[in-house]
């Protein structure tokens, strides 16, 4: 950990040098002690700023070897699974299990740790005339883009090679969606507590809840209300967990024969038309946006 | 030699009755009305109908004659009547295009109806938008061959069956295609009949539906995309071989529903993309061998009321659930099947797994009790549940077990329909 922090301090220094050296910031630096909100910037500059910051974040993440390991892990697992089971559908099914387990976990933990580690850099940036929203967005997009690139390489290439098709595409898209949702949840968790250990603990708890506890609870509730019509309840419960949502989207491609055997008319209608996928994608989008908005709100109010 | 039998019959007729005449019907002939020609004919005459669109109401055939269409002959009922009614033995109807029968809920109206007779051959006809397509009632030794039968999709409420047989013996239904009817092929009290190479698809209810029909043989048929699949009930000594059942989707759609089917054989069939490939209830002594179950929701739903069935040398590939059942007792024998979900090993390399396989997973038991939990499929929690159940089985039926699962997929020959195109939904 110490090593990591040192590394980050170094990085922070480097960033500072780079920022001071760049022309855009030169004038801004002079206004360092002014209230950032009094400075009005044109939108184009804002966008430019976001891209600029994104570049630093991305470069920083690239230097961190975690994402590289993640990519290699995904590549190894998917190649292994596909070459082990001759049937591509079976490969996708096992891969679905792994992706649903690993990608939320990694997104949560990595993002939380990264956020805490770049806290000093964030503090430094906050001293600049940059909107806080922009700072957080740069962190968010930096994390998302790097993790999604890892997914596309680690998962996309084997899927394309061994099992190209609708199921593979939905698996890839769904895992990207999951990553985005869980990165925003991680930022939220990291902003809820100041303590790094607590923050990581919180995100671990979130993962545990969404992966294990939630489904068990759901099964329990279903058994409790076994005599009642449960379509709306089941759908609502599925929507309240991004991992379940992701799973159902892939199931619609993978196990449609079984899902069509379900008795409920409403679900039947959802499954047989494209409505199911559309609805699930919409709810997934909410899962990406809502925690992020909340995190931004918290970050704006925060006394750094 | 596409129609050896009918040609033989004609030759026989000709040789027995050398004075058999050929009567030609059509606008510019002696018989503009087909019914007049039929009335004028003596038994074993031949009637040839010139191409044209005939709206001449019901044709009643009461003597043994052969009717041929010379080109495109459309017999149009104009939604007012039944089109051909046959009440005589030894009638041959060939090559007509029969259209638009009336549609009554009180009487069964058909495109071609055969009543209480034998040795009637109906072939190469195109029956379109009729209430019932071809209706055989109390008939023996009849042949229905190479017909294309399609119903009126819009008349959902009171549409009849494509090929309907009631109280019949030794009929042969071959090479027909039936679509958009209530039941594609419907049998009641039919015995010793052969149903071969038919295609029954997109029917509103069942592709094939039979009851109390014993000792019939179904081979090389294709049943796909029907509202509720195929349902066969209350029969014994049924043989079903090399058929294809696919894309029968829905809560109560089954590739093949067996209800009180006894002493029967189901082998060499392919079941693919069905919600439930086979659903068995109260069926005893059924031999299920060398079938392929692939990509179904449930490959086999076998209720506890089934006794002494043998499920042997089948391939179970890519099904969501292999077997599910509704109770603890299970009195059927599973033996030497290939299960793609089998995770055992084969140390002595005899091709059979050393660890028995339990095809019923805990989750399938849960789903049986609590259908909405199906949405938890492939969740990690479910995976854990299944794994723990595999290690210490407690909730899944104890005797539903394959003691010698086969390690490698069983190479099955004689699956003629494996490569044929299917109608995807």
């Amino acid at each position: 950990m110490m090593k990591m922090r040192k590394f980050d301090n170094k990085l922070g220094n480097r960033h500072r040098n780079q920022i001071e050296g760049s022309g855009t910031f030169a004038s801004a630096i002079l206004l360092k002690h002014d209230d950032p909100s009094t400075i009005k910037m044109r939108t184009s500059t804002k966008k430019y700023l976001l891209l600029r910051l994104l570049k630093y974040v991305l470069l920083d993440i690239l230097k961190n070897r975690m994402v590289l390991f993640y990519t290699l892990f995904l590549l190894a697992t998917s190649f292994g699974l596909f070459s082990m089971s001759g049937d591509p559908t079976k490969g996708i099914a096992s891969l679905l299990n792994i992706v649903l387990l690993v990608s939320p976990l990694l997104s949560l933990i990595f993002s939380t740790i990264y956020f805490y580690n770049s806290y000093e850099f964030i503090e430094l940036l906050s001293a600049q005339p940059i909107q806080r929203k922009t700072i957080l967005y740069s962190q968010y997009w930096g994390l998302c883009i790097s993790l999604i690139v890892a997914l596309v390489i680690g998962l996309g290439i084997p899927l394309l090679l061994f099992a190209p098709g609708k199921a593979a595409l939905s698996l890839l898209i769904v895992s990207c969606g999951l990553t985005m949702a869980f990165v925003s949840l991680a930022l939220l968790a990291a902003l809820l507590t100041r303590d790094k250990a607590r923050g990581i603990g919180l995100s671990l708890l979130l993962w545990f809840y969404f992966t294990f506890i939630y489904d068990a609870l759901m099964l329990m509730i279903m058994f409790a209300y076994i005599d009642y019509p449960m379509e709306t309840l089941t759908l609502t419960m599925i929507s309240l967990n991004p991992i379940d949502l992701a799973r159902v989207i892939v199931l619609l491609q993978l196990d449609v024969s079984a899902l069509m055997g379900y008795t409920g008319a409403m679900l039947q209608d959802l499954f047989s038309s494209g409505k199911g996928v559309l609805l699930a994608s919409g709810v997934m989008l909410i899962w990406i946006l809502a925690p992020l908005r909340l995190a931004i709100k918290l970050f704006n109010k925060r006394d750094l | 030699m596409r129609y050896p039998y009918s040609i033989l019959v004609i030759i026989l007729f000709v040789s027995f009755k050398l004075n058999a005449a050929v009567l030609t019907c059509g606008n510019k002939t002696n018989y503009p009305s087909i019914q007049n020609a039929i009335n004028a004919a003596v038994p074993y005459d031949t009637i040839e109908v010139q191409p044209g669109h005939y709206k001449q109401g019901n044709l009643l055939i009461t003597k043994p004659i052969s009717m041929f269409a010379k080109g495109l002959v459309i017999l149009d009922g104009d939604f007012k009547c039944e089109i051909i009614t046959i009440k005589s033995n030894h009638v041959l109807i060939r090559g007509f295009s029969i259209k638009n029968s009336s549609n009554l809920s009180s009487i069964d109206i058909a495109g071609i109806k055969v009543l209480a007779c034998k040795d009637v051959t109906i072939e190469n006809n195109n029956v379109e938008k009729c209430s019932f397509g071809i209706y055989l009632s109390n008939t023996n030794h009849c042949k229905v061959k190479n017909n294309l039968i399609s119903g009126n999709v819009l008349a959902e409420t009171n549409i009849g069956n494509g090929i309907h047989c009631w109280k019949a013996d030794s009929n042969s239904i071959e090479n027909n295609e039936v679509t958009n009817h209530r039941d594609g092929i419907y049998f009641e009290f039919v015995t010793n009949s052969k149903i071969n190479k038919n295609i029954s698809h997109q029917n509103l209810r069942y592709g094939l539906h039979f009851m109390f029909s014993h000792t019939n043989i179904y081979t090389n048929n294709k049943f796909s995309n029907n509202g509720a699949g195929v349902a066969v009930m209350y029969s014994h000594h049924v043989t079903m071989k090399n058929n294809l059942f696919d894309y029968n989707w829905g809560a109560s759609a089954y590739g093949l529903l067996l209800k009180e089917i006894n002493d029967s054989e189901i082998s060499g069939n392919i079941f693919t993309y069905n919600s439930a490939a086979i659903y068995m209830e109260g069926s005893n002594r059924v031999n299920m061998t060398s079938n392929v179950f692939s990509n179904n929701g449930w490959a086999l739903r076998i209720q506890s009321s089934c006794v002494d069935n043998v499920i042997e040398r089948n391939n179970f590939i890519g099904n969501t659930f292999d077997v599910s059942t509704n109770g603890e007792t299970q009195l059927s024998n599973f033996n030497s099947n290939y299960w793609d979900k089998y995770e055992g090993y084969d140390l002595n390399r005899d091709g059979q797994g050393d660890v028995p396989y339990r095809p019923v997973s805990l989750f399938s038991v849960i789903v049986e009790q609590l259908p909405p939990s199906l949405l938890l499929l492939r969740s990690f929690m479910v995976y854990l549940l299944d794994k723990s159940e595999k290690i210490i089985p407690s909730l899944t039926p104890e005797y539903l077990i394959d003691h010698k699962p086969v390690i490698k997929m069983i190479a099955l020959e004689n699956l003629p329909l494996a490569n044929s195109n299917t109608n995807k939904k």
Side-chain angles (χ1 to χ4, degrees):
Chain A
M1 261 320 169
M2 276 307 285
K3 212 175 167 188
M4 192 96 160
R5 185 153 287 260
K6 257 193 214 160
F7 178 68
D8 263 294
N9 274 342
K10 248 197 272 169
L11 235 140
N13 285 334
R14 194 180 306 149
H15 278 304
R16 194 179 318 213
N17 293 339
Q18 280 170 346
I19 291 166
E20 278 166 359
S22 68
T24 333
F25 285 86
S27 56
I29 295 288
L30 296 173
L31 301 163
K32 201 172 178 179
H33 300 292
D34 290 2
D35 187 359
S37 59
T38 57
I39 296 163
K40 285 178 185 143
M41 277 186 283
R42 277 172 290 131
T43 351
S44 58
T45 330
K46 263 199 248 170
K47 265 186 193 162
Y48 179 70
L49 256 180
L50 179 61
L51 283 179
R52 194 81 193 241
L53 290 178
L54 198 58
K55 202 180 92 187
Y56 292 127
V57 175
L58 277 174
L59 279 174
D60 192 25
I61 292 174
L62 257 183
K63 278 170 198 152
N64 190 335
R65 263 162 230 142
M66 193 66 185
V67 178
L68 189 69
F69 284 138
Y70 180 45
T71 317
L72 287 178
F73 165 78
L74 284 175
L75 265 176
T77 334
S78 12
F79 270 111
L81 276 174
F82 277 121
S83 44
M84 213 168 68
S85 65
D87 185 15
T89 321
K90 216 177 154 195
I92 290 182
S94 344
L95 211 52
L96 171 70
N97 265 326
I98 286 168
V99 164
L100 290 183
L101 211 61
V102 171
S103 79
L105 179 67
L106 195 112
S107 311
L108 273 170
I109 302 298
F110 178 69
S111 306
T112 320
I113 293 177
Y114 182 79
F115 184 80
Y116 280 112
N117 284 353
S118 46
Y119 206 75
E120 283 165 17
F121 179 50
I122 291 168
E123 273 178 341
L124 171 83
L125 286 179
S126 305
Q128 310 297 329
I130 305 168
Q131 275 197 329
R132 287 202 172 174
K133 207 162 88 178
T134 316
I135 299 173
L136 202 68
Y137 270 140
S138 71
Q139 293 280 317
Y140 178 73
W141 286 114
L143 285 163
C144 277
I145 290 171
S146 54
L147 289 173
I148 284 175
V149 167
L151 276 175
V152 168
I153 295 172
L155 205 64
I157 291 173
L159 280 175
L160 191 69
L161 284 179
F162 290 99
K166 261 165 98 184
L169 190 69
S170 69
L171 178 61
L172 190 64
I173 290 175
V174 144
S175 54
C176 293
L178 262 187
T179 302
M180 286 174 78
F182 276 92
V183 169
S184 61
L185 276 170
L187 290 187
L188 184 62
L191 281 164
L192 278 171
T193 62
R194 272 174 192 281
D195 186 20
K196 185 176 175 180
R198 270 193 174 185
I200 294 169
L202 186 60
S203 53
L204 264 179
L205 200 70
L206 274 176
W207 175 75
F208 199 70
Y209 170 73
F210 283 130
T211 315
F212 297 94
I213 303 174
Y214 192 88
D215 287 351
L217 276 177
M218 200 167 139
L219 198 62
M220 240 172 69
I221 293 172
M222 281 186 195
F223 264 114
Y225 293 97
I226 195 163
D227 297 329
Y228 297 87
M230 254 182 296
E231 290 195 313
T232 339
L233 184 73
T234 333
L235 269 190
T236 321
M237 284 196 292
I238 293 276
S239 319
L240 289 176
N241 180 352
I243 297 181
D244 275 344
L245 209 56
R247 191 170 45 75
V248 170
I249 294 175
V250 182
L251 282 190
L252 285 177
Q253 309 297 332
L254 220 55
D255 292 278
V256 71
S257 308
L259 287 179
M260 292 305 288
Y262 180 70
T263 343
M266 190 169 101
L267 288 181
Q268 192 103 106
D269 180 43
L270 270 182
F271 294 153
S272 55
S273 58
K275 279 186 214 157
V277 176
L278 220 64
L279 186 77
S281 316
V283 180
M284 191 63 129
L285 206 64
I286 295 175
W287 269 108
I288 294 169
L289 293 177
L292 189 63
R293 295 299 293 201
L294 212 60
I296 286 169
K297 225 177 181 177
L298 282 177
F299 190 57
N300 275 336
K301 279 186 193 159
R302 187 154 200 185
D303 182 10
L304 292 169
Chain B
M1 286 296 280
R2 229 174 134 190
Y3 320 113
Y5 180 76
S6 42
I7 287 169
L8 194 70
V9 168
I10 295 161
I11 292 167
L12 280 175
F13 286 170
V14 171
S15 54
F16 276 115
K17 254 189 104 56
L18 288 168
N19 58 344
V22 177
L23 287 77
T24 309
C25 296
N27 281 336
K28 289 166 191 165
T29 60
N30 293 339
Y31 299 103
S33 153
I34 303 171
Q35 184 66 57
N36 284 348
I38 295 169
N39 294 342
V42 291
Y44 302 105
D45 273 358
T46 298
I47 294 175
E48 284 181 358
V49 184
Q50 296 290 335
H53 194 130
Y54 297 84
K55 286 191 182 179
Q56 300 184 346
N58 175 252
L59 298 181
L60 180 65
I61 301 174
T62 48
K63 56 188 92 165
I65 49 170
S66 304
M67 273 178 70
F68 296 92
K70 284 273 172 193
L72 180 65
V73 178
I74 299 171
L75 303 180
D76 193 335
D78 220 5
F79 301 107
K80 281 179 191 143
C81 60
E82 187 162 276
I83 296 158
I84 298 181
T85 313
I86 299 168
K87 289 183 175 175
S88 158
N89 301 340
H90 303 290
V91 173
L92 169 73
I93 306 283
R94 184 195 285 168
F96 290 91
S97 181
I98 292 157
K99 249 185 172 164
N100 305 342
S101 80
S102 64
N103 209 338
L104 287 176
S105 46
S106 50
I107 313 165
D108 293 343
I109 305 282
I112 301 175
K113 190 186 257 178
V114 186
L115 290 169
C117 51
K118 58 184 182 181
D119 294 315
V120 172
T121 305
I122 296 164
E123 57 184 21
N124 294 29
N125 299 293
N126 186 355
V127 183
E128 224 177 296
K129 291 189 182 170
C130 290
S131 175
F132 282 75
I134 296 171
Y135 190 109
L136 307 174
S137 169
N138 199 3
T139 54
N140 302 332
H141 302 279
C142 288
K143 281 190 165 51
V144 178
K145 230 166 126 182
N146 304 340
N147 298 290
L148 179 67
I149 302 163
S150 65
N152 187 356
V153 206
L154 301 172
E156 274 208 13
T157 44
N158 51 355
I159 195 164
N161 305 320
I163 297 173
H164 180 101
C165 294
W166 182 81
K167 196 166 179 271
D169 185 67
S170 306
N171 285 339
S172 142
I173 314 283
E174 210 176 300
N175 240 336
N176 302 288
E177 183 173 344
V178 188
T179 176
N180 289 329
H181 272 280
R182 182 173 63 200
D183 291 341
I185 301 172
Y186 177 94
F187 287 173
E188 202 171 345
F189 311 111
V190 176
T191 47
N192 303 320
S193 293
K194 279 188 184 132
I195 295 83
N196 188 19
K197 289 185 186 165
N198 299 287
I199 301 173
S200 175
H201 60 100
Q202 272 127 330
N203 293 296
L204 296 177
R205 196 169 62 183
Y206 300 119
L208 166 71
H209 185 190
F210 65 74
M211 288 180 289
F212 314 107
S213 294
H214 313 304
T215 55
N216 293 320
I217 299 173
Y218 304 82
T219 47
N220 303 312
N221 301 292
K222 189 164 128 185
F223 304 103
S224 76
N225 218 334
N226 294 298
V230 168
V232 301
M233 307 173 188
Y234 315 111
S235 305
H236 56 77
H237 295 97
V238 176
T239 308
M240 299 185 122
K241 272 186 183 172
N242 304 348
N243 301 291
L244 175 71
F245 304 81
D246 65 359
Y247 294 99
N248 298 298
W249 278 352
S252 50
Y254 305 98
L256 178 59
L257 179 141
L258 304 172
K259 189 177 169 64
E260 299 190 28
I261 297 287
N262 296 328
D263 303 292
S264 295
E265 198 189 335
I266 295 170
S267 68
N269 301 290
I270 298 177
F271 298 87
T272 181
Y273 292 103
N274 301 291
S275 283
I278 293 189
Y279 178 94
M280 287 176 90
E281 203 177 282
S283 296
N284 310 320
R285 300 175 300 279
V286 174
N287 274 339
M288 245 178 248
T289 52
S290 310
N291 300 291
V292 177
F293 298 88
S294 72
N295 299 78
N296 301 291
W298 285 262
L300 211 53
R301 297 183 75 167
I302 181 162
Q303 305 299 84
S304 295
S305 51
C306 301
V307 180
D308 277 342
N309 301 292
V310 177
I311 294 105
E312 218 172 52
R313 293 185 63 75
N314 301 290
N315 281 325
F316 292 84
I317 306 152
N319 303 299
T320 305
F321 300 104
D322 284 335
V323 178
S324 85
T325 180
N326 64 342
E328 288 280 310
T329 38
Q330 190 49 247
L331 302 163
S332 294
N333 301 318
F334 287 79
N335 225 331
S336 305
N337 296 290
Y338 169 77
W339 312 89
D340 70 336
K341 293 185 185 64
Y342 180 59
E343 286 168 343
Y345 45 82
D346 177 24
L347 286 182
N348 54 0
R349 302 219 168 242
D350 61 350
Q352 291 187 324
D354 300 343
V355 191
Y357 178 71
R358 293 173 179 277
V360 179
S361 65
L362 176 57
F363 185 52
S364 78
V365 175
I366 294 175
V367 170
E368 197 77 20
Q369 285 173 20
L370 183 67
S373 66
L374 181 61
L375 282 177
L376 287 174
L377 183 69
R378 294 194 197 284
S379 126
F380 194 72
M381 195 236 359
V382 164
Y383 177 76
L384 285 184
L385 278 181
D386 277 348
K387 279 284 160 197
S388 60
E389 178 71 15
K390 281 257 149 69
I391 298 162
I392 316 157
S394 58
L395 293 167
T396 48
E398 203 182 334
Y399 297 108
L400 207 161
I401 190 164
D402 190 335
H403 285 284
K404 288 178 177 173
V406 172
I407 292 285
K408 276 191 181 154
M409 204 185 292
I410 301 159
L412 297 173
E413 288 162 21
N414 209 3
L415 294 174
L417 285 166
N419 301 321
S420 65
N421 293 325
T422 53
N423 302 287
K424 277 199 178 187
K425 206 166 213 170

